[in-house]
Amino acid sequence: MSGPASGATRQEQERSRVTRQKLMAAAIEVLTEQGWAGATTGAIAERAGVSRGACQHHFPTRAALVAAAVEHVFHQQLEEIARRAKGLPQSRRRVEPLLNLLYDVYAGPLFTAATHLWVAAVADEELKALLLPLETHVGREVHRLTVQLLGLDESDREVRDAVRATLDLLRGLALANLLHDDTARRRKVLAHWARTLEAQLTPTRTTQAD
């Protein structure tokens, strides 16, 4: 039987959820702007508008906080990309716009924040221990989404290799874009790769259709 106590518990859970989301959003912002050295627990808590004690209550260490933030925002991005992909044409013209959508996974504040973390993890064992399984998880999820959106058969080794090459290309283009706007060159590269990918994968699609 529910009562005042259960209502209070739900309110507390909601406040906790909102606080965690504020902290994770602040972590990405501070990490993007100031890097790992500047993304202290105090700086993140201040940006989120919560006390340092509240921050440490939800996330005992800043490594745990930023890793959780990256994973949280990453899943939000994947959901958004899957939603936007529904409006793309179901034809050969689908590949290039899909590549541009997938590029968004590696662009923007999240990728900048993640790059700061990956570099810092080289010399930080605690951070590395948190990021290695996260990197594996992120890689698998992006791979899965790419296969799904392109309508491919992942049991085909050639398909798996093509998808891996595609994601490596997108990651490299995002790195090239960190220091200066590389949009014009990226568009040309992705257009070329879309044609290459379509030519390589068309037989696989034809086989599936048959």
Side-chain angles (χ1 to χ4, degrees):
M1 182 175 180
S2 62
S6 62
T9 299
R10 285 195 296 270
Q11 290 180 349
E12 184 177 342
Q13 290 173 339
E14 177 62 15
R15 284 196 298 269
S16 177
R17 184 189 67 81
V18 170
T19 299
R20 287 177 65 88
Q21 288 189 336
K22 286 181 177 178
L23 285 166
M24 289 188 289
I28 296 297
E29 291 177 5
V30 176
L31 191 57
T32 300
E33 296 168 9
Q34 303 179 32
W36 177 243
T40 62
T41 301
I44 294 172
E46 182 179 359
R47 178 68 63 91
V50 305
S51 69
R52 184 181 180 122
C55 179
Q56 292 177 325
H57 169 74
H58 290 282
F59 300 98
T61 67
R62 68 166 176 159
L65 169 54
V66 295
V70 167
E71 183 172 13
H72 176 70
V73 176
F74 164 73
H75 281 291
Q76 287 183 324
Q77 280 197 333
L78 287 195
E79 290 173 4
E80 174 65 11
I81 287 170
R83 185 190 65 78
R84 290 164 60 190
K86 292 178 181 178
L88 297 180
Q90 299 292 333
S91 66
R92 289 177 61 95
R93 297 174 57 194
R94 179 180 177 84
V95 176
E96 185 176 347
L98 264 179
L99 291 183
N100 281 286
L101 270 184
L102 289 166
Y103 173 79
D104 288 346
V105 175
Y106 299 104
L110 177 60
F111 183 75
T112 303
T115 300
H116 282 299
L117 285 184
W118 263 243
V119 172
V122 173
D124 188 320
E125 291 300 322
E126 179 194 2
L127 189 58
K128 184 187 296 185
L130 285 170
L131 291 186
L132 283 175
L134 176 58
E135 180 182 26
T136 300
H137 172 66
V138 167
R140 285 175 179 166
E141 286 299 300
V142 177
H143 184 99
R144 178 193 61 77
L145 181 64
T146 303
V147 170
Q148 175 187 324
L149 294 181
L150 288 171
L152 302 175
D153 178 8
E154 195 179 12
S155 65
D156 187 319
R157 181 177 177 179
E158 290 296 319
V159 167
R160 294 197 301 272
D161 289 344
V163 171
R164 290 191 190 106
T166 298
L167 297 179
D168 285 345
L169 173 64
L170 294 173
R171 195 160 37 235
L173 290 171
L175 282 171
N177 201 62
L178 283 177
L179 296 181
H180 63 90
D181 187 352
D182 204 35
T183 302
R185 186 177 74 91
R186 182 183 74 245
R187 286 174 177 166
K188 291 179 181 178
V189 171
L190 288 183
H192 175 77
W193 182 246
R195 292 190 295 271
T196 302
L197 194 61
E198 182 64 34
Q200 180 179 355
L201 298 179
T202 294
T204 301
R205 286 175 166 171
T206 301
T207 301
Q208 282 184 277
D210 294 341

